[in-house]
């Protein structure tokens, strides 16, 4: 779909939903005009930014927990579940990610109908309970129930309630606000592996998880108090077509497919970088901190990408960072053999992968009616969850096929990211063609 050459290139033009557009078009005299103005997001202020703070805490305990999953792959393979293959252990982590994102359609529809309050409460209980039950787990199926299912569903409820709520308070600064909040997930990815490794080495796995559980409880209390939506939510009966209709729009379909391919690859650096480094001879006191380095760089990537995207265009920024992720995996990870090369790769890919996570929800919001943001985000993240489900087990199987080597897995991850970049280009082209526009 080519755009009118005289149409404004401001991304806000593309994101106005039917309700918002009709309000602005029909505003006459003082009363209607004021009503239309007050319906627009404030794009700042104490309440809006306090929601971002609540979102930061929510991201720390949900996606941050997901970003720290690589530390458990290492612990399980080297100790607790050493009789299981890399691919079998990978299912624990990929199922956690799957349950987190596959619940998005349900959570999204609940958000559109009822707002975030009870979603956050239920998610908080499941997240803390799951972590505490992990501290008592000893068998493979224990970890499936506690980590994969309980923290997966709980983390998903927290994440989607937070990201959808933030989107209702911002428009022009939406990518920046979501980027700041999602920096909480990267911070969690930095802190949690260090915390778990340190306590695990000193007093064992059980107490490492109990400490994490209490940290999560404190942060979630903050989230439950200050996170809220700006919208008035009206209960609506769910129908399967609510989730399928967005896929009939070519830009949305290509965006969702791009997210599916990126999800197959985005977790592989964090999951396998420590094991890869140990295989190449790096000492554990360095390799165990590569994941934290990756996530530390991701903190910067999320905030910087959000700020740039609101000015240079959100689709434009996503395309650049996705192609850079593919380049870093293929050109920096594959030849990495020394301490310096692994650290450089961790910092580079952390920055670009963090940018991807920060921008995804803002892209969905840009091509959606904000009053349907929960449902449309649900469709997109559901497809992301499918990709995340199969990505880590495929990578584990490729490692086994390569007799413990990582080359096939690295090529798979890099090519998946490259295909994702091409699909983001297709989604952008379906909106404005190949014109140099801020979108």
């Amino acid at each position: 779909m080519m755009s009118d050459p005289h149409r404004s290139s401001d991304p806000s033009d593309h994101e106005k939903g039917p309700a918002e557009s009709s309000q602005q078009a029909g505003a006459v005299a003082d009363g209607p005009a004021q009503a239309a103005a007050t319906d627009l997001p404030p794009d700042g202020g104490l309440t809006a930014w306090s929601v971002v703070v609540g979102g930061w805490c929510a991201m720390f305990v949900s996606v941050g927990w997901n970003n720290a999953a690589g530390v458990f792959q290492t612990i399980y393979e080297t100790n607790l579940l050493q009789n299981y293959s890399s691919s079998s252990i990978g299912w624990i982590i990929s199922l956690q990610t799957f349950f987190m994102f596959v619940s998005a359609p349900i959570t999204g529809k609940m958000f559109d109908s009822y707002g975030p309050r009870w979603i956050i409460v239920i998610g908080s209980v499941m997240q803390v309970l799951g972590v505490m039950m992990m501290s008592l787990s000893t068998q493979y199926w224990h970890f499936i129930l506690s980590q994969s299912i309980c923290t997966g569903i709980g983390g998903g409820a927290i994440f989607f309630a937070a990201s959808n709520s933030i989107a209702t308070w911002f428009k022009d600064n939406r990518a920046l606000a979501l980027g700041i909040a999602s920096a909480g997930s990267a911070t969690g990815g930095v802190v949690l592996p260090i915390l778990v490794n340190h306590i695990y080495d000193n007093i064992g796995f059980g107490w490492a998880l109990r400490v994490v559980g209490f940290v999560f409880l404190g942060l979630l209390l903050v989230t439950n108090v200050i996170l809220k939506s700006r919208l008035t939510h009206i209960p609506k009966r769910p129908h399967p077509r609510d989730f399928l209709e967005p896929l009939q729009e070519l830009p949305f379909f290509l965006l969702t497919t791009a997210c599916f391919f990126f999800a197959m690859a985005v977790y592989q650096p964090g999951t396998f970088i420590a094991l890869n480094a140990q295989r190449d001879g790096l000492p554990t006191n360095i390799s165990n901190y590569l994941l934290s380095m990756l996530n530390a760089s991701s903190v910067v990537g999320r905030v910087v990408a959000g700020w740039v995207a609101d000015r240079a265009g959100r689709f434009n920024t996503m395309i650049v960072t996705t192609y850079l992720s593919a380049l870093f995996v293929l050109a920096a990870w594959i030849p990495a053999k020394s301490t310096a090369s692994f650290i450089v790769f961790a910092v580079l890919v952390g920055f670009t992968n963090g940018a991807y996570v920060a921008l995804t929800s803002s892209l969905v919001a840009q091509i959606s009616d904000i009053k349907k943001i929960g449902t449309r985000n649900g469709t997109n993240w559901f497809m992301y969850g499918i990709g995340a489900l199969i990505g880590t087990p495929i990578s584990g199987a490729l490692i086994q096929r390569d007799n413990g080597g990582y080359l096939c897995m690295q090529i798979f991850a890099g090519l998946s990211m490259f295909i994702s970049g091409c699909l983001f280009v297709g989604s952008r082209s379906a909106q404005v063609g190949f014109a140099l526009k801020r979108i």
Side-chain angles (χ1 to χ4, degrees), residues 57-68:
C57 296
M59 302 291 186
F60 185 103
V61 305
S62 57
V63 187
W65 174 247
N66 235 39
N67 289 341

Side-chain angles (χ1 to χ4, degrees), residues 264-265 268-269 272 276 279 329-330 333-335 337 390-417:
M264 287 201 295
Q268 308 326 316
F272 294 106
N276 183 193
R279 187 177 188 271
V329 167
L330 296 172
W333 194 10
I334 289 177
K337 299 297 179 184
I390 64 177
T392 302
I394 288 174
S395 295
L398 289 172
I399 292 169
Q400 285 182 276
R401 185 182 179 87
D402 205 14
N403 297 316
Y406 290 84
L407 178 61
C408 293
M409 180 274 293
Q410 291 162 333
I411 293 173
F412 163 73
L415 291 179
S416 295
M417 289 174 172

Side-chain angles (χ1 to χ4, degrees), residues 63-88:
V63 187
W65 174 247
N66 235 39
N67 289 341
V71 72
F72 297 109
Q73 181 86 21
T74 304
I75 290 173
Y76 296 158
E77 284 197 32
T78 58
N79 192 348
L80 297 180
L81 299 173
Q82 56 187 316
N83 294 327
Y84 290 84
S85 68
S86 213
S87 182
S88 297

Side-chain angles (χ1 to χ4, degrees), residues 167-190:
T168 67
W169 289 93
F170 295 87
K171 185 174 65 118
D172 294 337
N173 293 319
R174 184 178 289 147
L176 175 61
L178 286 166
I180 292 172
S182 71
S185 62
T187 306
V190 174

